[in-house]
Amino acid sequence: MDSQAIDAGTFRDRQRDQWNTAARGWRKWNEWLDRATSHINERLVKLAGVQPGSRVLDVATGYGEPALTAARAAGPEGAVVATDISAQMLAFGRERAAKAGLENVEFVESEAASLDFPEGSFDAALSRWGLIFEPDGEATAARIRGFVKPGARMAISSWGPPDRVPFLAIPMGTAMSRLEAPPPPPGTPGPLSRPTPEAIGGLLEGGGFSDVGVEEAEINFEWESPEGFTTFIKEIAPPITALIEPHPPEVQEETWAAITDAVRERAADDGTVRLSNLVLLAAGRA
């Protein structure tokens, strides 16, 4: 990835602000998201080899996943360190951990590229749709590899190509077309920046992980209406809102309306919108 096409520091600062703002939406939608994505959390934890007593690192945990799933698997004798760039997302993660009665999770505010732990501190590492937002993903993966014990595994996820991830592609494509927005510079991180097995597996391989394998999974999202879909995207998807927000209010309103109309074409007779989305899961050995 050509991360030199963007300024990494500015990009991370912008992401921090965006995800802090989005934390309110993630609070609102968290139970809905958990129901739809729990099988991804569980699979990542299994691919990373988390066992009772494991010490686990979760990078870019957001509101605490798959950290909380890993904490349950590691049990009271194990421990999870969950890191993220957003203080507001971490605050919600702490609330979720407390509500779940999980006392073996520590939340640390830090960008992924600046993490610093003693060599060999962890038995496993995770990142659910996290490292794909890092401007220097391979270097960050290499940094994480130093924190885990030799032979330990790291498991990460990405979304597939746009035509297989309609919940993102429909609003993003509609907004870019409506606003005549140019494509992002080569190497720009984001939710659709690692859409192939070669791209997501290459992130781990570029970080020095071996025996890298990639598998596919599906996530089915369902909303009660096209309007509900648009509300969801507004509230939880910073890359899309960041594209629309710089424009005048009337243009923003027209763009969101166009997104609603676009997804309406995928609605069932009863108005519900159900979209199946491809997830890629990669795992490798340190």
Side-chain angles (χ1 to χ4, degrees):
M1 303 291 286
D2 181 14
S3 59
Q4 300 305 312
I6 61 173
D7 180 271
T10 300
F11 186 86
R12 293 188 186 104
D13 288 344
R14 187 163 61 244
Q15 283 198 103
R16 182 182 292 105
D17 292 341
Q18 291 172 359
W19 286 107
N20 278 333
T21 300
R24 178 179 296 180
W26 282 74
R27 285 175 180 267
K28 172 182 173 180
W29 291 92
N30 85 95
E31 292 182 1
W32 185 94
L33 286 163
D34 284 348
R35 288 193 296 271
T37 62
S38 61
H39 63 296
I40 301 297
N41 302 334
E42 292 166 3
R43 185 58 181 159
L44 286 169
V45 166
K46 185 172 182 178
L47 287 171
V50 178
Q51 300 176 353
S54 290
R55 182 168 171 81
V56 185
L57 175 64
D58 181 16
V59 179
T61 191
Y63 74 147
E65 287 295 356
L68 301 191
T69 301
R72 294 185 183 94
E77 300 303 317
V80 178
V81 177
T83 75
D84 199 84
I85 198 172
S86 165
Q88 294 301 316
M89 293 290 276
L90 288 173
F92 183 37
R94 292 187 185 97
E95 292 177 20
R96 295 179 72 236
K99 184 177 180 180
L102 295 170
E103 299 180 352
N104 59 339
V105 188
E106 176 187 1
F107 292 89
V108 176
E109 182 183 348
S110 175
E111 58 190 43
S114 298
L115 293 173
D116 189 15
F117 298 100
E119 184 176 346
S121 295
F122 299 97
D123 301 300
L126 300 161
S127 186
R128 188 189 76 160
W129 302 305
L131 280 186
I132 57 176
F133 283 91
E134 169 54 45
D136 200 352
E138 283 78 2
T140 301
R143 189 177 186 86
I144 295 167
R145 183 169 57 86
F147 304 149
V148 300
K149 296 175 182 177
R153 296 185 64 80
M154 181 173 193
I156 64 177
S157 67
S158 71
W159 296 103
D163 64 333
R164 298 288 304 279
V165 190
F167 97 99
L168 291 173
I170 291 173
M172 182 66 77
T174 302
M176 292 181 68
S177 176
R178 184 88 182 182
L179 301 172
E180 298 182 347
T188 301
L192 299 174
S193 62
R194 303 275 183 166
T196 65
E198 294 77 15
I200 189 63
L203 196 162
L204 290 179
E205 291 171 344
F209 287 87
S210 60
D211 299 328
V212 174
V214 180
E215 64 183 52
E216 297 184 354
E218 294 280 339
I219 290 181
N220 294 309
F221 290 141
E222 183 173 330
W223 300 266
E224 293 184 352
S225 67
E227 290 78 11
F229 168 85
T230 300
T231 298
F232 170 80
I233 292 297
K234 276 185 180 181
E235 294 177 342
I236 67 97
I240 297 171
T241 55
L243 179 65
I244 298 172
E245 285 180 346
H247 295 271
E250 64 274 14
V251 175
Q252 294 185 42
E253 184 176 347
E254 291 169 358
T255 303
W256 287 116
I259 289 171
T260 302
D261 289 341
V263 81
R264 196 183 309 279
E265 298 178 6
R266 303 286 291 269
D269 291 342
D270 64 357
T272 58
V273 177
R274 189 173 190 269
L275 300 176
S276 180
N277 304 276
L278 178 66
V279 179
L280 300 176
L281 303 100
R285 190 176 304 280

